[in-house]
């Protein structure tokens, strides 16, 4: 297994929310049903080249060589650190030069609503058949009309099983026992900072109701008094050292801690959680859409999906790939045993539109309280 080096895929939603809102206001939005381009299934891909923007270490280092060998098309890889960074580039109003972008599901939804995403031509991606059936029912893009999922997972509590009893509720983080005060962390990013309180209060993770969000704010302001830190990136290192005993965490990143200490485990609280998805989107401005579709088709080959699961330690919606994973890998990292149907029980995060600014404002008020 490749040494893990993947960091920083999740972000500062604030900047992007503002960019997104401004862009939507400027163009008036779109219903996302723009007709697909007239693509040629027999196009000579050796005459096409594409630029793919992805998070660093999120696909094989030699992907360009292998893709060219498999299809004849050339490709260049660029990296972005956050959803917000790539969204700012894609919504700037000119051709970004990017043909395929990796973004999380709610951002793919926003791109489609702005008319910036090329509708997916399923005939050019026969490997869509490798997706688990629930991966075609994602609420931000039902039927995979504008995006194709690459990885997915959920958010829960990552904890030291040798230091604390297994948590069962989000309130174990929000209202920790006296002996755990000052030893728990939560995420800093808008949607995931809100998630524990939203679920503990029985609200949707996509709520835009101002009264509900006022209750969420009050609960999070109270919780801040017992936190060790807001931490999106190094929480598993705090668990390894014992500085923290429980952290809000993405399932895949909790696996990074488990790789170092087998007593680090992951649980989804009884109130439920989210379903996050990282997707691939073909940009409307792409001048080589056949090659762009061929790239997505190539990544949906079972062995490429299996690479992602084995190296990033995230579940992938590619069922053929999940079926290839070694049994010992799933035994070592139990979150990889979660089925597609179980993941779909989580609430898909969707684009908040203009309400994203309310989230950003509340996060500022909570973290500065």
């Amino acid at each position: 297994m490749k040494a893990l080096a993947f960091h920083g895929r999740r972000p500062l939603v604030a900047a992007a929310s503002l960019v997104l809102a401004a862009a939507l206001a400027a163009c008036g939005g779109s219903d996302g049903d723009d007709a697909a381009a007239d693509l040629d299934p027999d196009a000579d891909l050796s005459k096409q080249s594409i630029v793919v923007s992805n998070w660093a270490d999120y696909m094989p280092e030699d992907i360009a060589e292998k893709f060219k060998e498999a299809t004849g098309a050339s490709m260049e890889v660029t990296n972005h650190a956050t959803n917000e960074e790539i969204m700012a580039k894609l919504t700037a109003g000119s051709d970004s030069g990017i043909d395929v972008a990796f973004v999380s599901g709610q951002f793919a939804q926003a791109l489609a609503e702005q008319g910036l995403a090329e509708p997916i031509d399923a005939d050019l991606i026969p490997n869509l058949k490798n997706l688990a059936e629930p991966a075609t029912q994602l609420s931000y893009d039902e039927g995979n009309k504008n995006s194709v999922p690459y990885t997915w997972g959920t958010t829960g509590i990552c904890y030291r099983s040798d230091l604390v009893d297994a948590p069962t509720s989000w309130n174990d983080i929000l209202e920790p026992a006296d002996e755990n005060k000052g030893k728990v962390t939560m995420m800093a990013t808008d949607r995931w900072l809100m998630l524990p309180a939203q679920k503990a209060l029985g609200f949707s993770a996509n709520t835009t109701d101002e009264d509900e969000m006022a209750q969420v704010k009050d609960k999070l302001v109270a919780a801040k008094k017992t936190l060790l830190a807001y931490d999106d990136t190094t929480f598993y290192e705090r668990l390894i050292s014992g500085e923290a005993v429980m952290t809000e965490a993405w399932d895949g990143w909790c696996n990074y801690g488990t790789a170092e200490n087998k007593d680090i485990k992951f649980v989804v609280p009884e109130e439920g959680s989210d379903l996050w998805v990282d997707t691939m989107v073909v940009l409307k401005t792409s001048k080589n859409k056949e090659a762009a579709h061929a790239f997505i088709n190539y990544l949906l080959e079972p062995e490429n999906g299996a690479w992602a699961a084995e190296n990033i330690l995230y579940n992938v919606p590619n069922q053929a790939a999940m079926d290839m994973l070694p049994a010992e890998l799933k035994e070592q990292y139990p979150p990889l045993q979660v089925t597609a149907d179980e993941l779909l029980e989580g609430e898909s995060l969707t684009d908040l539109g203009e309400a994203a600014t309310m989230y950003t404002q509340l996060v500022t008020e909570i973290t500065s309280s």
Side-chain angles (χ1 to χ4, degrees):
M1 182 182 301
K2 176 186 173 185
L4 296 171
F6 177 56
H7 298 282
R9 62 187 274 279
R10 310 277 179 189
L12 301 168
V13 171
S17 299
L18 295 174
V19 169
L20 220 51
L24 282 167
C27 68
S30 164
D31 60 9
D33 291 331
D34 292 348
D38 186 15
L39 303 183
D40 179 6
D42 299 318
D44 183 355
L45 297 183
S46 68
K47 296 180 179 178
Q48 296 195 7
S49 62
I50 58 173
V51 176
V52 177
S53 188
N54 197 353
W55 292 279
D57 302 314
Y58 217 37
M59 54 189 179
E61 291 181 1
D62 58 354
I63 188 69
E65 297 171 22
K66 289 186 174 179
F67 177 61
K68 185 174 180 60
E69 182 179 317
T71 67
S74 300
M75 69 173 284
E76 174 187 348
V77 178
T78 65
N79 293 137
H80 53 264
T82 67
N83 277 306
E84 286 68 25
E85 179 183 331
I86 184 63
M87 289 297 286
K89 184 178 293 185
L90 298 179
T91 59
S94 58
D95 184 356
S96 65
I98 294 170
D99 297 275
V100 179
F102 284 68
V103 295
S104 296
Q106 62 271 34
F107 293 89
Q109 178 187 4
L111 288 172
E113 289 173 347
Q114 293 180 63
L116 299 177
E118 176 70 20
I120 295 296
D121 187 331
D123 290 339
L124 295 184
I125 310 180
N127 283 332
L128 285 170
K129 68 180 187 300
N130 292 331
L131 292 176
E133 198 275 338
T136 68
Q137 302 173 15
L138 302 166
S139 60
Y140 66 84
D141 184 18
E142 192 166 350
N144 308 126
K145 295 176 182 176
N146 299 293
S147 61
V148 177
Y150 179 61
T151 57
W152 62 358
T154 188
T155 309
I157 298 176
C158 193
Y159 67 100
R160 282 282 297 266
S161 63
D162 55 332
L163 300 179
V164 293
D165 293 334
T168 58
S169 167
W170 284 115
N171 284 319
D172 290 318
I173 288 277
L174 297 165
E175 302 170 12
D178 288 344
E179 63 270 24
N180 296 329
K181 290 179 179 176
K183 298 179 181 178
V184 301
T185 71
M186 291 179 59
M187 293 182 176
T189 309
D190 294 22
R191 303 299 297 272
W192 288 281
L193 190 153
M194 300 294 187
L195 179 70
Q198 289 171 322
K199 289 301 180 184
L201 292 166
F203 302 151
S204 166
N206 298 304
T207 182
T208 57
D209 183 282
E210 293 185 2
D211 290 338
E212 291 183 352
M213 290 305 294
Q215 296 179 56
V216 168
K217 174 190 170 184
D218 290 344
K219 195 169 184 66
L220 291 173
V221 168
K224 185 185 175 188
K225 298 180 177 67
T226 60
L227 283 184
L228 168 64
Y230 294 108
D231 186 350
D232 283 2
T233 56
T234 64
F235 52 80
Y236 59 91
E237 295 172 0
R238 295 177 190 269
L239 286 169
I240 292 169
S241 70
E243 181 185 17
V245 296
M246 284 188 292
T247 65
E248 181 190 3
W250 295 298
D251 46 2
W253 277 27
C254 187
N255 285 337
Y256 301 164
T258 304
E260 300 290 329
N261 184 328
K262 63 180 177 53
D263 290 320
I264 293 178
K265 301 184 184 302
F266 178 82
V267 64
V268 176
E270 60 191 8
E271 298 94 344
S273 190
D274 67 336
L275 167 62
W276 60 259
V277 187
D278 287 339
T279 73
M280 299 173 280
V281 177
V282 177
L283 277 302
K284 180 71 79 176
T285 51
S286 170
K287 297 177 178 60
N288 294 294
K289 294 185 175 68
E290 289 88 355
H293 279 73
F295 170 74
I296 293 175
N297 189 61
Y298 180 68
L299 274 201
L300 288 182
E301 292 284 352
E303 57 269 26
N304 290 327
W307 179 94
E310 291 175 349
N311 287 271
I312 305 170
L313 297 181
Y314 284 174
N315 266 294
V316 295
N318 186 327
Q319 189 60 54
M322 291 300 294
D323 291 342
M324 292 177 64
L325 294 185
E328 54 268 27
L329 187 73
K330 293 183 178 180
E331 183 176 351
Q332 183 177 2
Y333 302 108
L336 292 177
Q337 299 174 20
V338 178
T339 67
D341 285 329
E342 290 170 333
L343 279 174
L344 204 65
E345 292 175 3
E347 184 181 16
S348 288
L349 297 179
T350 56
D351 179 43
L352 297 173
E354 294 182 358
T357 56
M358 173 177 65
Y359 273 56
T360 300
Q361 178 61 37
L362 290 176
V363 166
T364 300
E365 293 172 6
I366 292 163
T367 56
S368 62
S369 65

